[in-house]
Amino acid sequence: MTVAAERTAIPFFAPDLFEADRETLLELLYEVGTDPEQRFILGRRTARFEDALRARLGSADVVACSSGTSALTLVLAAMGIGPGDEVIVPAFGCAPLASTVLAVGAVPVFADIDPATLTMDPEHAQEQVSGRTRALMPAHMFSVMADMPRLRDLAARTGLRLVEDSALAQGGVLRGRPAGRWGDAGVYSFVQVKVFGMPGEGGVVLTDDAALAGRVRMLRNHGQDGRNRFLHHHVGHNSRFDEVMAAVQLHRLAGLEERIARRTAICDHYSAAFADLAGAGVAAPPAGGDGRFPYVYTLLCEDRDGLRAHLAAAGVDTHVYYPRTLPEQPAFAPHARAGGDWPRAREAARRNISLPLYPHLTDAAVEHVVSAVRAFALGRKP
């Protein structure tokens, strides 16, 4: 990436993610909409998409549902987790880590994070285990997988279920095992900005547990078994996958590796360019490596607001994902353990800032981002 930098505005959320697929999207919409079968959810396209992911990931079963959040809810419900139970979750991350636990009537117990990976600290998680704990629910964060070997060992030693929130980690592999395949169940999200995003909402549950998969399948469709309509075995949910989106994902699957490779190349270039800035208050994740995936490229900056303003003036849009820890959120604070302290999560909330990252980001745009970040860190004008 040695082309000249450009000064045009660089959005964080690209408005043209699916422009190259425009004609195909319209054709698929027409195909599904005029199909004589007139089945718009959980049809043969959804089944084909589940089969394709099953083959790609080596998972015994893949169950498509309406979102990554819903996937977590379905897994917890299928495990029988409910009132009186506790689930250990990271204190830094997306709201569904806590809200899905509360949705099934259980209590989220917050563990602090590792300051480098920004994912659940296994040691602090172990300290939170009590007689009421039923599950661990770590989450991969930005571009780094959680320490799943240690968390898997912790779950095994304590007799807990392991729910892997891998919603954003498509393309991640740790010790030869794909993200989503480390726990009793994992989940993916396909909202548009994800690595395998789509122009809609959807998710999947991954599991090798046939009984758990069967319960998830029923729960996603009002507790029905898929054979006998209007026979409800459980109190279920409306969490069904859209046939148009299944067709879209089957179409886009062929180009997924190419998009992952481009995103990875941008991440690696950023990391190489920022490797010497830690002393200037800008810490970058290391380039590549085991357990990495190219979802969001996130820096930790001592003067985040200053960097954000500097980049905005240079035409670079940025994003701060989680400016508050989960225990500090008004919705979840009443459920946090009294006297709990999560200093590393607070630091991550204070310092994190994410840079533009998408497959069609040009080399010129990448170089412009690099120059602007370095100019701020080193005290130069952009």
Side-chain angles (χ1 to χ4, degrees), residues 287-305:
D290 202 22
R292 298 294 301 281
F293 55 91
Y295 167 51
V296 168
Y297 190 87
T298 302
L299 300 170
L300 294 178
C301 183
E302 286 299 321
D303 182 12
R304 178 180 64 198
D305 292 345

Side-chain angles (χ1 to χ4, degrees), residues 113-289:
I113 61 171
D114 180 280
T117 66
L118 309 184
T119 62
M120 182 188 285
D121 176 11
E123 289 186 11
H124 198 251
Q126 182 169 354
E127 294 172 8
Q128 311 311 308
V129 175
S130 75
R132 297 173 60 188
T133 307
R134 289 285 309 282
L136 299 173
M137 193 158 75
H140 309 314
M141 187 57 56
F142 299 139
S143 65
V144 183
M145 288 178 65
D147 191 344
M148 296 310 298
R150 289 178 64 195
L151 290 164
R152 191 176 189 179
D153 177 68
L154 174 59
R157 286 188 286 106
T158 53
L160 302 177
R161 305 303 294 267
L162 182 59
V163 181
E164 184 182 355
D165 183 354
S166 46
L168 47 73
Q170 298 102 1
V173 178
L174 178 61
R175 298 187 183 180
R177 186 185 296 268
R181 297 276 288 107
W182 279 90
D184 294 291
V187 306
Y188 284 163
S189 166
F190 303 125
V191 72
Q192 74 268 26
V193 295
K194 297 296 194 292
V195 174
F196 192 19
M198 63 189 193
E201 187 82 70
V204 294
V205 172
L206 318 173
T207 185
D208 292 337
D209 184 331
L212 182 66
R215 289 192 293 273
V216 169
R217 284 188 183 279
M218 285 192 280
L219 290 172
R220 73 174 173 177
N221 190 18
H222 298 297
Q224 300 172 99
D225 58 21
R227 299 182 299 275
N228 304 291
R229 195 175 183 191
F230 302 128
L231 176 60
H232 304 274
H233 302 275
H234 304 282
V235 178
H237 303 257
N238 178 0
S239 182
R240 302 173 295 199
F241 203 83
D242 182 276
E243 280 288 279
V244 174
M245 290 300 101
V248 168
Q249 291 300 78
L250 285 166
H251 162 71
R252 285 176 55 79
L253 184 60
L256 178 58
E257 288 303 324
E258 182 180 351
R259 296 193 299 275
I260 289 175
R262 172 59 181 171
R263 294 174 76 120
T264 299
I266 295 171
C267 287
D268 288 348
H269 187 72
Y270 279 157
S271 288
F274 303 147
D276 63 338
L277 300 183
V282 177

